[in-house]
Amino acid sequence: MKHVNLLILDDKEENIVSLSALLSEVEHIHIISSTDPNEALKICWKNDIAIALVDVQMPEINGFEFVSLLKSNPKTNHIMAIMVTAISKEDKYLLKGLESGAVDYLYKPLNPEITIAKVSSFVSQIHIQEEIKQKNIALEESQRQLILAKEEAEEARKSKESFLANMSHEIRTPINGIVGIIHILRNTSLNDEQRDWINRLDSASNSLLLIINDILDISKIDSGMMRIEYENFSIHKKLTDINNFFKIKALDKHITFETIIDPQLPEYIKSSPIRIQQIIDNFISNALKFTKEGKITLKASVVEQEDAQCTIKFTVTDTGIGIKSEALEKIFLAFEQGDDSITKKYGGTGLGLAIVKRLADLLDGKIEAESTYGVGSTFSFQATFQKIDDFKQQETLDTETIPSLHKFDHVRILVAEDNELNSFMLEHILKSWGCEVDVAKNGHIAIEYVNQYDYDLIMMDTHMPVMSGFEAIQEIKTHPNPQKASTPIITISASVLEHEQAAAYEAGADSVIGKPFDPIDLYQKIDKLISKRV
Ligand code: ADP
């Protein structure tokens, strides 16, 4: 234990000697003494004195004045002063000492036991204080570390976000090119073998896109960037769409697929149709993947119904390979699959169920899995939804029912896109719809074109060298010529991040299209914007 410096101030040397002798029994103290208050003050300034035993009656500066001086100096005001006095124990003296800042009194003639006990108690108080001080320092340090770690985590989150945005752009851009070229090739005359190649290419690029979407989804959820968008929708229609889609896929594998809907199921609910579909799609895709024969059943049952709320359980049951009980616990973890043999035989990233679990949490729902190895599995998602009684669903254009795309008449479009494959593909698609097309490789060139020619529409990539799409949009939208400033602009955003898409609208874009995009979707957007203009 650290020694505590104790000062004895008494104008009589013999008092110092006797008090020092008495205190020799107290452990962990180092005694310094003086007969002169001025010298004692200097000692207190220069040494780390913790306790001072101060004689009250002294010529020049008395004990009370000395303690007041100690207390008035920030360098010495921490010193515990104990007055040593021979004068009466009257309250007024006691008060005077306490007012000057003393913590206690010792009365002459000194009682050895009381003196030792008091000083020992102050020494241990000082040790405790020292310990608290050290702990405070450690606490402050760990607090500093925590703030630092928080800042680092924030920094990491930000770089993850920009990495996501960049990766999203870098990967989606070439895929956009591939998907577009596939679309162009499909519309050329092909023999059966070539059509088969195109189908394979199409399916490969779709799988690639699914994997990228999964990686982006899990990163978005884990960095808190996944926003659930709630809307009113028909749950019946959603289930019918899912049923129609997977029935065909199941048929290809000679598996029966059926959907059972509880008659109690409300027509409309408020939730995120995209995320609900993502969860159910995932269950069914897995069921299809791991089932060779038999049946897959999608069931939607009402668990509880109360006024405006309804708890619905969506269950997918299959007669597939099943999951061993030890693997069942792991499959909801990211990058985990049943076992290694599954990876070898069936492929996959092990991300699907991890995403499903996180999405269910975001929707305040729960996921359950039961399985009998070799017999089959059941996966379910249960959540409580708000029922919607009266809701007119917006008529959405069903792309499959569009009879044929009519050609645009005298429409001139500027494509600002730095990626050659993409601009080539866009130019080709737009020309096939009868448009006249100019291509600019960056925002700066795009502005020059806009100054020179009149366009009916501009398609603008967001990330471009020299001048970004955002800057170019802002410049066009504030063009001195009102005709040019009102040219509709569709930004081509490869980002899946909502805030980037929002930034495009903020910059002045009239519409946003993702990468890769569905050509029909693009056609509809152009058609809408152009017809508004005329
Ligand atoms: P992956 O994309 O690799 O299939 P998932 O997260 O979707 O990843 O699934 C994780 C693992 O859970 C799979 O690798 C498989 O072992 C197991 N699994 C999921 N669904 C089923 C199912 N219906 N039948 C058998 N095993 C399944």
Side-chain angles (χ1 to χ4, degrees):
M1 203 173 277
K2 212 180 128 192
H3 271 64
V4 167
N5 286 334
L6 181 143
L7 171 84
I8 300 176
L9 169 62
D10 199 311
D11 57 329
K12 294 194 182 70
E13 188 66 50
E14 62 270 27
N15 282 349
I16 293 178
V17 173
S18 68
L19 192 52
S20 300
L22 197 64
L23 295 180
S24 63
E25 276 185 39
V26 180
E27 282 187 317
H28 310 300
I29 55 168
H30 170 66
I31 298 174
I32 304 169
S33 64
S34 172
T35 52
D36 173 12
N38 287 315
E39 186 197 42
L41 278 176
K42 279 187 202 141
I43 293 172
C44 288
W45 290 335
K46 287 195 185 139
N47 299 279
D48 181 21
I49 302 290
I51 303 173
L53 298 181
V54 184
D55 184 23
V56 173
Q57 290 97 348
M58 287 184 293
E60 292 174 45
I61 302 175
N62 71 32
F64 299 132
E65 289 162 342
F66 177 81
V67 174
S68 297
L69 286 169
L70 282 187
K71 293 293 156 186
S72 61
N73 187 328
K75 261 173 95 178
T76 53
N77 66 2
H78 64 279
I79 297 174
M80 285 180 167
I82 303 169
M83 312 303 294
V84 184
T85 179
I87 45 173
S88 89
K89 294 183 186 177
E90 268 179 47
D91 282 354
K92 64 172 181 185
Y93 292 110
L94 195 69
L95 213 60
K96 199 168 176 193
L98 296 176
E99 273 169 6
S100 64
V103 290
D104 210 341
Y105 266 89
L106 282 171
Y107 298 101
K108 289 180 190 170
L110 295 172
N111 174 319
E113 270 139 31
I114 291 182
T115 307
I116 291 169
K118 275 196 176 167
V119 173
S120 300
S121 134
F122 283 119
V123 169
S124 69
Q125 244 189 67
I126 284 163
H127 278 138
I128 292 169
Q129 272 178 8
E130 180 62 24
E131 210 176 303
I132 292 174
K133 205 165 119 193
Q134 290 307 328
K135 284 198 172 141
N136 258 340
I137 292 173
L139 208 69
E140 272 168 22
E141 174 59 20
S142 71
Q143 222 168 12
R144 215 178 49 82
Q145 297 287 353
L146 263 173
I147 292 169
L148 215 69
K150 195 172 161 261
E151 281 169 4
E152 275 170 17
E154 183 58 19
E155 202 55 37
R157 194 191 64 77
K158 276 193 193 142
S159 61
K160 188 173 178 182
E161 188 173 331
S162 71
F163 169 73
L164 265 180
N166 286 338
M167 187 180 84
S168 163
H169 182 262
E170 292 305 319
I171 301 176
R172 278 161 183 271
T173 299
I175 298 182
N176 188 42
I178 297 169
V179 172
I181 301 284
I182 292 171
H183 175 82
I184 297 170
L185 276 175
R186 246 190 225 296
N187 291 326
T188 59
S189 57
L190 298 168
N191 63 32
D192 286 350
E193 195 181 20
Q194 285 166 330
R195 196 157 292 282
D196 179 44
W197 291 344
I198 290 294
N199 286 341
R200 283 169 199 272
L201 201 58
D202 195 16
S203 126
S205 59
N206 278 332
S207 316
L208 189 58
L209 201 61
L210 285 179
I211 296 170
I212 293 161
N213 283 344
D214 274 359
I215 295 172
L216 288 172
D217 268 358
I218 202 131
S219 316
K220 268 171 82 180
I221 298 173
D222 286 351
S223 53
M225 291 185 321
M226 172 74 85
R227 244 204 2 235
I228 300 284
E229 305 210 353
Y230 289 87
E231 59 182 279
N232 300 341
F233 68 101
S234 160
I235 185 67
H236 280 263
K237 181 168 186 310
K238 180 97 298 181
L239 291 168
T240 310
D241 288 349
I242 294 173
N243 176 69
N244 294 345
F245 180 79
F246 283 105
K247 218 172 187 112
I248 299 167
K249 293 215 167 233
L251 211 65
D252 287 347
K253 281 192 81 173
H254 307 289
I255 299 168
T256 311
F257 184 88
E258 65 167 357
T259 300
I260 303 169
I261 298 179
D262 189 333
Q264 301 290 316
L265 192 78
E267 180 66 41
Y268 303 113
I269 57 168
K270 183 173 189 175
S271 185
S272 167
I274 295 174
R275 301 305 165 197
I276 289 182
Q277 172 154 11
Q278 199 174 348
I279 293 172
I280 300 174
D281 278 3
N282 224 296
F283 288 161
I284 305 176
S285 300
N286 276 344
L288 270 173
K289 184 171 164 186
F290 297 109
T291 305
K292 253 213 216 114
E293 55 188 352
K295 187 163 133 185
I296 296 171
T297 311
L298 163 65
K299 212 167 134 190
S301 38
V302 173
V303 179
E304 211 180 333
Q305 191 141 209
E306 218 182 276
D307 304 330
Q309 304 232 300
C310 182
T311 304
I312 307 170
K313 185 171 186 173
F314 302 95
T315 315
V316 174
T317 310
D318 66 53
T319 53
I321 60 169
I323 305 163
K324 289 181 187 158
S325 55
E326 62 267 28
L328 206 56
E329 296 157 18
K330 293 195 304 181
I331 55 172
F332 289 102
L333 302 173
F335 307 107
E336 282 286 351
Q337 294 180 310
D339 57 56
D340 290 347
S341 62
I342 299 269
T343 322
K344 283 189 200 117
K345 200 165 165 196
Y346 296 93
T349 54
L351 281 175
L353 290 176
I355 293 171
V356 160
K357 171 85 181 58
R358 286 160 168 81
L359 287 178
D361 287 345
L362 287 173
L363 291 166
D364 289 329
K366 63 174 182 187
I367 296 287
E368 276 171 355
E370 283 168 30
S371 190
T372 308
Y373 188 58
V375 179
S377 316
T378 298
F379 283 83
S380 71
F381 161 60
Q382 181 178 318
T384 302
F385 304 97
Q386 193 188 330
K387 282 192 288 181
I388 306 294
D389 290 335
D390 190 19
F391 163 65
K392 283 248 170 301
Q393 208 171 13
Q394 256 190 349
E395 274 308 311
T396 48
L397 274 172
D398 191 348
T399 52
E400 273 155 37
T401 60
I402 289 179
S404 66
L405 306 175
H406 67 262
K407 296 223 171 197
F408 293 117
D409 197 17
H410 290 101
V411 168
R412 188 167 186 178
I413 296 182
L414 172 66
V415 173
E417 158 73 88
D418 64 315
N419 182 284
E420 265 190 50
L421 184 59
N422 272 301
S423 56
F424 166 78
M425 177 270 293
L426 265 171
E427 188 181 357
H428 190 98
I429 291 179
L430 294 172
K431 279 185 174 164
S432 76
W433 295 335
C435 305
E436 200 181 321
V437 183
D438 291 326
V439 177
K441 280 196 179 308
N442 62 50
H444 192 69
I445 301 173
I447 305 267
E448 282 175 9
Y449 274 107
V450 170
N451 286 334
Q452 233 172 318
Y453 310 104
D454 289 329
Y455 290 102
D456 298 289
L457 187 121
I458 300 165
M459 295 205 55
M460 184 80 75
D461 185 24
T462 45
H463 294 247
M464 281 185 295
V466 188
M467 185 192 258
S468 82
F470 296 125
E471 289 170 88
I473 294 172
Q474 272 165 349
E475 210 155 302
I476 295 167
K477 288 290 174 184
T478 51
H479 200 282
N481 177 339
Q483 177 74 14
K484 289 186 193 286
S486 67
T487 316
I489 301 177
I490 300 179
T491 52
I492 322 161
S493 169
S495 175
V496 284
L497 303 178
E498 282 90 0
H499 71 81
E500 272 220 16
Q501 303 202 356
Y505 281 113
E506 235 167 71
D510 298 271
S511 188
V512 176
I513 192 146
K515 269 184 192 174
F517 57 80
D518 175 3
I520 310 273
D521 189 20
L522 174 64
Y523 181 91
Q524 285 174 346
K525 285 201 155 109
I526 295 176
D527 195 29
K528 207 167 145 196
L529 287 170
I530 287 177
S531 53
K532 249 197 224 166
R533 202 164 149 76
V534 189

